[in-house]
Each structure stands twice: as C-alpha cells, then as structure tokens.
Amino acid sequence: VAGLVMAGIIILLSLSFSIWTFAHRKSRVVRASQGIFLHLICFGTFLLGTSLIVESFDDEIVSSSFLNVSCMLSIWLASLGWCCAFCALFTKVMRVNKIFQNPRFSRVQVTVCDVMKPMAFMMTANIIILSLWTALDPMVWNRVTTGYNELEMANESEGNCTAPNMIFVILLIVLDFGVLTFAVFQSYRARQVAVEFSESAYIAGAMG
C-alpha cells in the first residue's frame, strides 16, 4: 500500500509540474529554465513512479506469466525514467555551461539539438542493454518458502523477481551511475552561474 501511495504522489506531482510548466511556458522564469528539459524531467519521474505500481503486483493478484513480464517492465520503466530525468538535468546545465563559460566572450548560440546528443546516446545505450536483457535472459518471478510450522508445513513465503545473470544489472548500474556522475560534474561547473539560469545548487541537492 505504501508503495502505491508513493507512486500516486510521484505521478500526480510529475503531471502537475509538467502542466504548470506548459501553462507558464511564456514566463521569464520558465524560458530561462528551458521548458523542454523541465518536461523531460517530469516525464522521467513519471516513469519512475509508474515502475512502483508495476512492482506492487504479486501472484495473489495476477498470473505468474504476467509477473514475469512485469519483472522486466518495472526495470524498463525505472531505468528509462532515471536516465531520462538525469540526462535532462545534465543536458540542461551543459547548455548553460556552453553559453556562460565562454572564454572568448563571443556570441554563442547553443541549440537544444546541440546538447541533446549525449542524452540520445545514453537513452539508446539503455534501450540496447534492456532489449538484450529482455531477449536473452529476462528476469523471472519466483516464490520461495521461508518458514515452516511445527508440522514441517510451509507457512511463510516470499515472492520476488530474480535475475539469472547479473551482467545486465551491472551494465545498467554502470551506465546510470555514469549519467548521475556527469550530471554532478555539469552542476559543479555551473556553480557560479546565476540560479535563474542553472539552479545547480538545487540540482545537487536533488541528486543527494
């Protein structure tokens, strides 16, 4: 129940903030904050919240075959949600860095497409790893007996998703940790930029 409540809060806030951003898209603050990246962050947190709903299923509600699918689906949602949110953060701040940290003080035009390339690369790498994992060695749902009564009859059990091969888990962790590290690095570089344009202090706080 707690997981579903948390998922509901995350999804509601993600949608609310995205709607607010769209409604105020012409305001000075939202334009300075680069609205497209704010929407991507909201979309990423929305996916993360949805993954909590998928993870809440068990074999008392749905079939084992459905749970096998939900095991991988929750990983897809969580991984892509994380990557989308944090890639949007570092892409947003990287664009600010390219503009403000200009040693020649010349006019610089940095379009959204210019800085979306690292994000596209990270998302593509995530999708490739997840696709290979799903096709070659997907996670499966297992219920294991954890307790017996005095008659040696099973009276306790727990069910969870298991990964037969940890190589894909390790690859995703390395990739997503790299996204986080790069976001921290870009925020550190933007520490001297006005909060109106970079919010690096708030971004660092969110990552912590």
Side-chain angles (χ1 to χ4, degrees):
V1 177
L4 291 176
V5 172
M6 183 63 67
I9 293 173
I10 294 172
I11 291 172
L12 180 61
L13 288 176
S14 298
L15 292 174
S16 299
F17 288 139
S18 185
I19 292 171
W20 183 93
T21 300
F22 180 78
H24 295 82
R25 62 191 181 279
K26 294 183 180 179
S27 68
R28 183 170 180 268
V29 173
V30 173
R31 284 189 290 111
S33 297
Q34 307 171 77
I36 185 173
F37 298 116
L38 300 181
H39 284 299
L40 286 172
I41 293 169
C42 290
F43 181 66
T45 55
F46 175 85
L47 292 180
L48 286 169
T50 306
S51 71
L52 294 178
I53 297 178
V54 177
E55 289 177 1
S56 67
F57 298 142
D58 62 26
D59 51 4
E60 294 181 357
I61 304 174
V62 295
S63 66
S64 296
S65 59
F66 182 89
L67 289 171
N68 288 336
V69 174
S70 68
C71 283
M72 285 308 304
L73 180 59
S74 64
I75 296 296
W76 272 84
L77 292 170
S79 182
L80 293 180
W82 171 278
C83 192
C84 182
F86 281 97
C87 279
L89 282 174
F90 81 63
T91 302
K92 176 182 183 300
V93 181
M94 185 170 66
R95 188 184 188 195
V96 172
N97 285 331
K98 285 179 176 291
I99 294 172
F100 283 89
Q101 297 190 14
N102 179 17
R104 297 182 180 179
F105 297 100
S106 57
R107 182 181 176 84
V108 176
Q109 181 178 1
V110 182
T111 65
V112 173
C113 292
D114 290 335
V115 292
M116 287 288 278
K117 293 176 183 177
M119 181 176 182
F121 172 79
M122 292 292 188
M123 291 295 289
T124 301
N126 251 283
I127 291 172
I128 290 173
I129 294 173
L130 288 167
S131 298
L132 290 173
W133 189 0
T134 303
L136 300 178
D137 198 14
M139 295 182 71
V140 294
W141 170 268
N142 284 318
R143 180 167 288 279
V144 180
T145 301
T146 57
Y148 298 86
N149 59 20
E150 59 276 6
L151 299 177
E152 296 187 355
M153 298 177 63
N155 62 355
E156 292 182 7
S157 66
E158 63 178 26
N160 51 51
C161 298
T162 57
N165 193 332
M166 293 298 292
I167 183 63
F168 296 106
V169 178
I170 295 171
L171 288 174
L172 278 180
I173 290 174
V174 170
L175 178 63
D176 291 338
F177 183 76
V179 171
L180 176 61
T181 302
F182 195 55
V184 172
F185 172 71
Q186 289 296 333
S187 297
Y188 177 78
R189 289 188 62 203
R191 66 191 184 282
Q192 303 298 333
V193 178
V195 172
E196 179 182 3
F197 298 101
S198 74
E199 313 100 3
S200 59
Y202 300 115
I203 292 173
M207 293 173 189

